[in-house]
Amino acid sequence: MAQVTGGAHERMLSVAVAALHERDPERLWPLLAGALPGLCGGETLIYKLDDWNEAEGTVGMPPEAAAGFDGLAEEELGLLRTGYPFAHRYAAGPDRTPLTARRAAGAAWSASPTARLIGDIMDAEHVLAIPLPGTTTPITGCMVYRSGTDFTDDHLRTARQLQPLLAAVEQQRQLLERRQRTAAPRAVHTPAADCALTPRETTVLLLLTDALTAAAIGRRLGISDRTVHKHIEKIYRKLGTRDRISTVLRAQRLGLVPMKDR
């Protein structure tokens, strides 16, 4: 398999670090949207964090691209939500390999209403779908757009290598949203600052409350078991605890993690 080039690897690492230090879940995907297209040969993108279907769902995009979407009719928004021809393709089975519209639909792509729409509002001719790996229902992810020639095999390989990063950022977004919904308003900020937990330690702590093993946490975050254990040791030291149960209980009392429903 081709490796990500040095420059692209550095940009991927920069995006990952920025995402891990971002505390506002609403800013994570806009952060990705600004960096992701250039990494895999695109010019702009839209992302769907709910199912790719015509009837409902939100469409996110970089701020600089938003002006082109103002005033779209509901039918046109439905075309973007559906993500032709990808939704039906991915719904048919578990394969989540990135794919271009032309490779998925052949000659029918150029004649489709979706192709005409993106040509009008984005001046683009080609689309690369990057679904989040492991998603079933809903199918979530992003679609990257470009003009000129279609995405190359190298672009598709890079997209596959980006999928774990996208999945980790989405996991981080969901954890932060859950924390915002359930933690006491005062406890969200002050105790964490007092304990000086890093963003990554806070994420590991949240996963500890779900009784996940170090191996499971590592798989979720894309890090080794050894790194997970180092984070756990630092959490113990900062909270003044010695085991998982006392750590979770203390974190709940401090408002660092939500109380579990009984």
Side-chain angles (χ1 to χ4, degrees):
M1 178 183 295
Q3 297 298 310
V4 179
T5 63
H9 183 272
E10 291 299 323
R11 282 181 287 164
M12 286 170 58
L13 182 60
S14 176
V15 171
V17 170
L20 288 173
H21 284 82
E22 178 56 62
R23 295 300 188 100
D24 183 353
E26 298 300 320
R27 295 181 62 182
L28 283 171
W29 271 93
L31 184 155
L32 282 178
L36 183 61
L39 291 173
C40 51
E43 296 158 5
T44 190
L45 63 74
I46 64 173
Y47 53 89
K48 289 290 300 298
L49 303 183
D50 37 36
D51 202 4
W52 290 355
N53 68 72
E54 183 176 355
E56 58 186 357
T58 56
V59 176
M61 65 204 73
E64 61 271 16
F69 293 80
D70 291 341
L72 286 183
E74 184 61 29
E75 181 180 355
E76 294 170 324
L77 285 173
L79 291 175
L80 293 177
R81 291 191 190 108
T82 302
Y84 170 83
F86 305 115
H88 293 300
R89 174 67 175 259
Y90 290 125
D95 183 16
R96 296 294 176 264
T97 303
L99 188 67
T100 69
R102 189 170 297 280
R103 296 189 189 199
W109 162 247
S110 297
S112 69
T114 303
R116 290 195 295 271
L117 176 64
I118 68 165
D120 291 341
I121 63 176
M122 299 184 198
D123 194 26
E125 301 163 82
H126 304 283
V127 190
L128 167 61
I130 312 179
L132 296 184
T135 56
T136 52
T137 302
I139 300 167
T140 58
C142 59
M143 288 169 278
V144 184
Y145 301 86
R146 68 177 282 160
S147 57
T149 59
D150 200 2
F151 293 87
T152 67
D153 289 341
D154 283 341
H155 292 145
L156 268 68
R157 280 191 285 268
T158 298
R160 286 198 294 273
Q161 292 169 325
L162 285 166
Q163 283 180 297
L165 170 60
L166 302 185
V169 169
E170 174 60 9
Q171 175 69 25
Q172 178 85 341
R173 184 187 71 85
Q174 293 179 15
L175 288 169
L176 290 172
E177 281 193 341
R178 185 177 70 180
R179 185 180 179 192
Q180 282 187 350
R181 286 195 305 267
T182 57
R186 289 186 178 181
V188 170
H189 302 290
T190 304
D194 292 343
C195 297
L197 294 179
T198 67
R200 177 60 100 182
E201 289 164 359
T202 302
T203 300
V204 171
L205 179 59
L206 283 165
L207 293 173
L208 283 177
T209 67
D210 291 335
L212 296 182
T213 64
I217 293 173
R219 287 193 296 271
R220 288 274 189 99
L221 300 180
I223 58 179
S224 67
D225 295 6
R226 181 180 178 184
T227 300
V228 173
H229 283 298
K230 286 183 178 179
H231 287 310
I232 292 174
E233 289 172 3
K234 291 178 181 178
I235 293 169
Y236 287 175
R237 184 170 66 252
K238 291 178 179 180
L239 297 186
T241 54
R242 295 185 176 182
D243 57 62
R244 290 189 177 212
I245 294 177
S246 62
T247 298
V248 171
L249 291 175
R250 179 162 175 74
Q252 289 174 338
R253 288 195 297 270
L254 290 173
L256 294 171
V257 296
M259 301 292 291
K260 292 290 187 180
D261 295 333
R262 295 184 180 278

